[in-house]
Amino acid sequence: MHLSERLRMVASFVPEGSRLIDVGTDHGYLPIYLAKQRIIGEGLAVDVRPGPLERAVEHIREYGLETRINTRLSDGLKEIKEEDGDVVVMAGMGGGLVIRIMEEGRHMWPSVRHWILSPQSDLHRVRGYLREQGFAVEREDMLLEDGKYYTVMKAGGWGKRQGYIKNGKKDRGKRMLYDYYGEELLRKKSPVLFRYLEKEHKEKEAILKKLRKSGASGERAAGRVEELIKELELIKEAQNEMQ
């Protein structure tokens, strides 16, 4: 079975022997791949839409995995129970939706060992939410595929706080830096993150230059200029952190 590079990276985050819950499974490719590779013992493919779930059922049958992968129609984790699995994957959805699903699925927090997340947007919100709720980001990686940047993270240890959560202005600044760009990605000097920062810096500088050149005035334009300056400062701080 062919998986995209992004899904292969997601798959690499799943510990051997996991009982997988794949939320937003779409065609069911991820649990099928993991079952075929004997990485997971069993899996549950979950989707809120009947159409994709029916396609997942067809693919599961095609590979003869009906006894190892079940399917369930559910809005996030609402119809999922503790005994259904111990590793949750959410990939390919917006960060706001990831947060909503986790929040509405609090009944799963004590039993889930790992949350493997690959949000398409608002990564800083997801990281901030995990931090505030006492999860530790155990592993994080990033890749570029077809011109798009993707980040995958594995969170666990609910109830444990990360080391940089302290009081004081300096530590608040670190929290923002790590929420936006990932503590591990910065620490290990991810070459993909480095390229992403360069791209973001170039794009935001161009927008700022255009705004200033246009002579746009008013509260809205001034607010956007201030916002861009702060974003560029944070990018520069991230780049310095990786030196």
Side-chain angles (χ1 to χ4, degrees), residues 215-232:
S217 59
E219 189 175 332
R220 186 174 177 180
R224 181 57 180 146
V225 166
E226 186 179 350
E227 186 180 76
L228 283 164
I229 290 170
K230 288 180 180 178
E231 289 171 356
L232 285 164

Side-chain angles (χ1 to χ4, degrees), residues 1 18 20-22 25 27-37 40-46 53 56-61 63-72 84:
M1 167 174 285
S18 300
L20 182 76
I21 302 168
D22 184 25
T25 195
H27 291 70
Y29 290 150
L30 182 65
I32 290 170
Y33 172 84
L34 291 166
K36 280 175 61 63
Q37 297 295 318
I40 62 171
E42 57 186 86
L44 179 62
V46 179
L53 205 61
V57 169
E58 291 171 6
H59 292 140
I60 291 165
R61 285 177 183 160
Y63 286 93
L65 293 168
E66 301 97 318
T67 60
R68 295 178 60 195
I69 303 174
N70 294 314
T71 59
R72 190 169 304 165
D84 288 325

Side-chain angles (χ1 to χ4, degrees), residues 105-118:
R106 279 179 172 265
H107 62 283
M108 296 294 294
W109 289 15
S111 59
V112 173
R113 293 186 298 118
H114 302 289
W115 301 81
I116 299 169
L117 312 172
S118 183

Side-chain angles (χ1 to χ4, degrees), residues 33-200:
Y33 172 84
L34 291 166
K36 280 175 61 63
Q37 297 295 318
R38 301 195 176 278
I39 294 169
I40 62 171
E42 57 186 86
L44 179 62
V46 179
D47 211 289
V48 70
R49 299 167 297 168
L53 205 61
E54 287 169 9
R55 288 193 290 275
V57 169
E58 291 171 6
H59 292 140
I60 291 165
R61 285 177 183 160
E62 181 183 340
Y63 286 93
L65 293 168
E66 301 97 318
T67 60
R68 295 178 60 195
I69 303 174
N70 294 314
T71 59
R72 190 169 304 165
L73 193 66
S74 176
D75 180 2
L77 295 166
K78 289 181 180 179
E79 306 301 324
I80 310 303
K81 300 175 182 177
E82 289 188 6
E83 59 267 26
D84 288 325
D86 58 11
V87 171
V88 172
V89 169
M90 285 186 273
M93 60 184 73
L97 182 54
V98 169
I99 292 170
R100 178 179 74 77
I101 290 172
M102 287 194 70
E103 188 64 24
E104 293 176 351
R106 279 179 172 265
H107 62 283
M108 296 294 294
W109 289 15
S111 59
V112 173
R113 293 186 298 118
H114 302 289
W115 301 81
I116 299 169
L117 312 172
S118 183
Q120 287 186 322
S121 62
D122 295 324
L123 268 79
H124 66 290
R125 288 183 58 203
V126 174
R127 292 190 187 104
Y129 177 80
L130 292 171
R131 171 175 52 76
E132 289 164 4
Q133 299 304 321
F135 292 94
V137 176
E138 302 167 337
R139 180 185 168 194
E140 192 163 358
D141 212 339
M142 194 173 183
L143 80 156
L144 175 63
E145 182 180 25
D146 297 331
K148 294 182 179 180
Y149 289 89
Y150 298 99
T151 299
V152 182
M153 63 186 77
K154 180 167 74 173
W158 176 52
K160 295 179 182 178
R161 294 284 180 174
Q162 295 191 51
Y164 63 84
I165 299 180
K166 301 174 184 176
N167 295 321
K169 184 177 180 180
K170 182 178 179 180
D171 295 303
R172 284 199 299 273
K174 281 289 185 185
R175 287 201 299 269
M176 179 178 287
L177 182 67
Y178 294 155
D179 284 353
Y180 269 85
Y181 300 117
E183 182 178 11
E184 184 179 352
L185 294 174
L186 290 164
R187 179 183 54 78
K188 68 183 184 183
K189 305 185 191 321
S190 163
V192 182
L193 175 61
F194 190 83
R195 290 199 297 273
Y196 173 77
L197 289 170
E198 286 185 326
K199 178 187 78 74
E200 286 289 290

